[in-house]
Protein backbone atom coordinates (compact mmCIF):
# COMPACT_ATOMS: atom_id res chain seq x y z
CA UNK A 1 0.00 0.00 0.00
CA UNK A 2 1.47 3.32 -1.00
CA UNK A 3 0.66 6.60 0.68
CA UNK A 4 -2.91 6.81 -0.65
CA UNK A 5 -3.85 9.34 2.00
CA UNK A 6 -3.11 12.79 0.67
CA UNK A 7 -1.76 14.07 3.97
CA UNK A 8 -0.01 17.37 3.34
CA UNK A 9 1.41 18.07 6.78
CA UNK A 10 2.10 16.27 10.04
CA UNK A 11 2.16 18.43 13.16
CA UNK A 12 3.90 16.89 16.16
CA UNK A 13 5.06 18.38 19.49
CA UNK A 14 8.72 19.41 19.36
CA UNK A 15 11.41 17.29 20.98
CA UNK A 16 11.25 13.51 21.38
CA UNK A 17 7.85 13.12 19.68
CA UNK A 18 8.97 15.06 16.60
CA UNK A 19 12.17 12.98 16.41
CA UNK A 20 10.21 9.72 16.66
CA UNK A 21 7.94 10.69 13.74
CA UNK A 22 10.96 11.75 11.64
CA UNK A 23 12.64 8.41 12.40
CA UNK A 24 9.48 6.62 11.31
CA UNK A 25 9.52 8.44 7.97
CA UNK A 26 13.26 8.15 7.39
CA UNK A 27 13.12 4.84 5.54
CA UNK A 28 9.98 5.60 3.57
CA UNK A 29 10.28 5.94 -0.19
CA UNK A 30 7.82 7.92 -2.24
CA UNK A 31 6.01 11.07 -1.24
CA UNK A 32 5.95 11.94 2.44
CA UNK A 33 4.28 14.89 4.16
CA UNK A 34 6.05 17.88 5.60
CA UNK A 35 6.67 17.32 9.32
CA UNK A 36 6.36 20.42 11.46
CA UNK A 37 7.49 20.60 15.10
CA UNK A 38 4.90 22.50 17.16
CA UNK A 39 5.15 24.02 20.66
CA UNK A 40 3.71 22.13 23.64
CA UNK A 41 0.55 23.55 25.19
CA UNK A 42 -2.55 25.42 24.07
CA UNK A 43 -1.47 29.07 24.22
CA UNK A 44 2.00 28.57 22.65
CA UNK A 45 0.43 26.47 19.88
CA UNK A 46 -2.26 29.04 19.10
CA UNK A 47 0.35 31.80 18.89
CA UNK A 48 2.48 29.62 16.63
CA UNK A 49 -0.40 28.76 14.30
CA UNK A 50 -1.37 32.42 13.93
CA UNK A 51 2.21 33.35 13.01
CA UNK A 52 2.63 31.07 10.02
CA UNK A 53 0.29 30.50 7.09
CA UNK A 54 2.11 27.34 6.12
CA UNK A 55 -0.99 25.51 4.87
CA UNK A 56 -3.25 25.91 1.89
CA UNK A 57 -7.03 25.52 2.34
CA UNK A 58 -8.32 22.00 1.63
CA UNK A 59 -5.08 20.62 3.08
CA UNK A 60 -5.16 17.57 5.29
CA UNK A 61 -3.28 17.84 8.56
CA UNK A 62 -2.40 14.86 10.72
CA UNK A 63 -1.55 15.66 14.32
CA UNK A 64 0.62 13.02 15.96
CA UNK A 65 2.32 12.58 19.32
CA UNK A 66 1.78 10.94 22.70
CA UNK A 67 -1.09 11.33 25.18
CA UNK A 68 -2.19 10.28 28.67
CA UNK A 69 -4.91 7.73 29.37
CA UNK A 70 -8.01 8.65 31.41
CA UNK A 71 -9.53 5.19 31.22
CA UNK A 72 -8.62 1.66 32.33
CA UNK A 73 -9.32 0.57 28.76
CA UNK A 74 -6.20 2.27 27.38
CA UNK A 75 -2.70 1.56 28.55
CA UNK A 76 0.91 2.44 27.64
CA UNK A 77 1.70 1.79 23.99
CA UNK A 78 -1.91 1.76 22.77
CA UNK A 79 -2.48 3.62 19.48
CA UNK A 80 -5.51 5.91 19.51
CA UNK A 81 -7.31 7.85 16.81
CA UNK A 82 -9.42 10.77 17.99
CA UNK A 83 -13.09 11.07 17.07
CA UNK A 84 -13.48 14.37 18.86
CA UNK A 85 -11.91 16.64 21.44
CA UNK A 86 -13.44 18.51 24.37
CA UNK A 87 -12.21 21.56 26.27
CA UNK A 88 -14.13 23.43 28.96
CA UNK A 89 -17.49 22.10 27.84
CA UNK A 90 -16.93 22.72 24.11
CA UNK A 91 -16.64 19.77 21.75
CA UNK A 92 -15.08 19.71 18.28
CA UNK A 93 -15.02 16.74 15.91
CA UNK A 94 -12.09 15.55 13.84
CA UNK A 95 -12.68 15.15 10.11
CA UNK A 96 -14.75 11.98 9.78
CA UNK A 97 -13.77 10.73 6.33
CA UNK A 98 -10.08 11.41 6.99
CA UNK A 99 -10.30 9.60 10.34
CA UNK A 100 -12.15 6.64 8.78
CA UNK A 101 -9.47 6.30 6.09
CA UNK A 102 -6.72 6.29 8.70
CA UNK A 103 -8.62 3.79 10.81
CA UNK A 104 -9.03 1.35 7.92
CA UNK A 105 -5.40 1.69 6.82
CA UNK A 106 -4.07 0.99 10.32
CA UNK A 107 -6.28 -2.06 10.84
CA UNK A 108 -7.36 -3.37 14.21
CA UNK A 109 -4.31 -2.01 16.05
CA UNK A 110 -5.96 1.39 16.53
CA UNK A 111 -8.79 2.41 18.89
CA UNK A 112 -11.21 5.26 18.16
CA UNK A 113 -11.35 7.46 21.27
CA UNK A 114 -12.84 10.61 22.72
CA UNK A 115 -10.20 13.07 23.91
CA UNK A 116 -9.87 16.14 26.06
CA UNK A 117 -7.33 18.93 25.91
CA UNK A 118 -5.83 20.42 29.05
CA UNK A 119 -3.90 23.66 29.55
CA UNK A 120 -1.74 22.00 32.23
CA UNK A 121 -0.20 18.59 32.91
CA UNK A 122 -2.78 16.18 34.37
CA UNK A 123 -0.40 14.26 36.61
CA UNK A 124 -2.46 12.64 39.38
CA UNK A 125 -4.12 9.27 38.76
CA UNK A 126 -7.13 10.37 40.82
CA UNK A 127 -7.72 13.44 38.66
CA UNK A 128 -7.21 11.43 35.47
CA UNK A 129 -9.90 8.94 36.43
CA UNK A 130 -12.23 11.72 37.62
CA UNK A 131 -11.85 13.62 34.32
CA UNK A 132 -12.34 10.43 32.34
CA UNK A 133 -15.60 9.69 34.14
CA UNK A 134 -17.06 13.22 34.26
CA UNK A 135 -16.16 14.18 30.68
CA UNK A 136 -16.57 10.70 29.16
CA UNK A 137 -13.07 11.17 27.68
CA UNK A 138 -10.56 8.38 27.09
CA UNK A 139 -7.30 10.32 26.69
CA UNK A 140 -5.79 13.76 27.36
CA UNK A 141 -3.27 15.94 25.55
CA UNK A 142 -2.29 19.61 25.58
CA UNK A 143 -2.74 20.66 21.94
CA UNK A 144 -5.68 18.89 20.28
CA UNK A 145 -8.57 21.28 20.82
CA UNK A 146 -6.52 24.36 19.91
CA UNK A 147 -5.44 22.79 16.62
CA UNK A 148 -8.96 21.64 15.76
CA UNK A 149 -10.47 25.04 16.49
CA UNK A 150 -7.86 26.84 14.40
CA UNK A 151 -7.97 24.52 11.38
CA UNK A 152 -11.76 24.08 11.36
CA UNK A 153 -12.07 27.85 11.06
CA UNK A 154 -9.95 27.92 7.90
CA UNK A 155 -11.39 24.82 6.25
CA UNK A 156 -8.51 22.43 6.80
CA UNK A 157 -9.27 18.76 7.57
CA UNK A 158 -7.67 17.41 10.73
CA UNK A 159 -7.14 13.91 12.09
CA UNK A 160 -5.29 13.05 15.30
CA UNK A 161 -3.28 9.92 15.91
CA UNK A 162 -1.48 9.48 19.21
CA UNK A 163 0.12 6.82 21.40
CA UNK A 164 -0.61 6.45 25.11
CA UNK A 165 2.48 7.15 27.24
CA UNK A 166 0.98 7.03 30.77
CA UNK A 167 -1.94 5.15 32.26
CA UNK A 168 -4.62 6.29 34.71
CA UNK A 169 -3.60 3.96 37.57
CA UNK A 170 -0.43 5.81 38.53
CA UNK A 171 0.70 9.39 39.14
CA UNK A 172 3.30 10.98 36.89
CA UNK A 173 5.48 13.90 38.03
CA UNK A 174 3.79 17.31 37.90
CA UNK A 175 5.83 18.92 35.13
CA UNK A 176 3.58 21.91 34.41
CA UNK A 177 6.28 24.33 35.64
CA UNK A 178 8.79 22.80 33.21
CA UNK A 179 6.85 24.04 30.17
CA UNK A 180 8.00 27.50 29.11
CA UNK A 181 5.57 30.15 27.87
CA UNK A 182 6.77 29.50 24.30
CA UNK A 183 5.89 25.81 24.58
CA UNK A 184 9.45 24.52 24.93
CA UNK A 185 10.63 22.39 27.86
CA UNK A 186 12.88 23.90 30.48
CA UNK A 187 15.50 21.28 31.50
CA UNK A 188 16.06 22.45 35.09
CA UNK A 189 12.44 22.44 36.37
CA UNK A 190 11.98 19.24 34.38
CA UNK A 191 14.87 17.59 36.23
CA UNK A 192 13.68 18.91 39.61
CA UNK A 193 10.16 17.64 38.98
CA UNK A 194 11.55 14.22 38.15
CA UNK A 195 13.82 14.14 41.21
CA UNK A 196 10.99 15.06 43.57
CA UNK A 197 8.99 12.03 42.46
CA UNK A 198 11.55 9.42 41.42
CA UNK A 199 9.17 6.46 41.21
CA UNK A 200 6.64 8.40 39.14
CA UNK A 201 9.49 9.76 37.01
CA UNK A 202 10.84 6.29 36.26
CA UNK A 203 7.36 5.17 35.25
CA UNK A 204 6.89 8.22 33.02
CA UNK A 205 10.26 7.74 31.30
CA UNK A 206 9.60 4.04 30.71
CA UNK A 207 6.10 4.74 29.40
CA UNK A 208 7.30 7.56 27.16
CA UNK A 209 10.07 5.44 25.64
CA UNK A 210 7.57 2.67 24.88
CA UNK A 211 5.09 5.16 23.38
CA UNK A 212 7.77 6.87 21.27
CA UNK A 213 8.87 3.53 19.83
CA UNK A 214 5.25 2.74 18.87
CA UNK A 215 4.85 6.27 17.45
CA UNK A 216 7.86 5.66 15.21
CA UNK A 217 6.45 2.28 14.09
CA UNK A 218 2.94 3.56 13.37
CA UNK A 219 4.34 6.50 11.38
CA UNK A 220 6.39 4.10 9.30
CA UNK A 221 3.44 1.77 8.77
CA UNK A 222 1.12 4.56 7.73
CA UNK A 223 3.41 5.84 4.99
CA UNK A 224 5.11 2.63 3.84
CA UNK A 225 2.18 0.24 4.06
CA UNK A 226 3.94 -2.24 6.37
CA UNK A 227 1.60 -3.93 8.82
CA UNK A 228 2.19 -3.37 12.52
CA UNK A 229 3.69 -6.41 14.22
Amino acid sequence: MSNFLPINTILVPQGAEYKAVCRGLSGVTGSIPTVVAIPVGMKPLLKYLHQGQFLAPKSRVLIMGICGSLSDRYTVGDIVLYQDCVYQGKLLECDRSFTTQLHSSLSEKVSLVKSMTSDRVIWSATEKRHLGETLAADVVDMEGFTALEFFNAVGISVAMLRVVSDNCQHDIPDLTSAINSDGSLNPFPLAMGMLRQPLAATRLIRGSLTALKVLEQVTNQLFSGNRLE
Side-chain angles (χ1 to χ4, degrees), residues 60-120:
R60 283 177 141 195
V61 172
L62 178 61
I63 293 167
M64 299 185 78
I66 58 179
C67 61
S69 175
L70 302 175
S71 158
D72 290 328
R73 289 193 300 277
Y74 303 102
T75 187
V76 173
D78 285 354
I79 306 165
V80 295
L81 191 58
Y82 292 10
Q83 290 174 297
D84 52 43
C85 194
V86 67
Y87 174 69
Q88 291 186 349
K90 289 188 286 187
L91 183 134
L92 294 173
E93 289 195 347
C94 295
D95 186 277
R96 279 196 189 168
S97 64
F98 188 6
T99 301
T100 304
Q101 272 188 300
L102 284 167
H103 191 233
S104 60
S105 75
L106 289 168
S107 72
E108 67 288 345
K109 291 286 190 282
V110 182
S111 304
L112 287 166
V113 297
K114 295 182 172 297
S115 74
M116 70 160 284
T117 299
S118 171
D119 50 16
R120 59 190 173 82

Side-chain angles (χ1 to χ4, degrees), residues 3 31 43-44 48 51 60 125 141 168 184:
N3 173 18
S31 65
K43 282 186 184 147
Y48 175 81
Q51 279 168 353
R60 283 177 141 195
D141 70 40
C168 68
S184 61

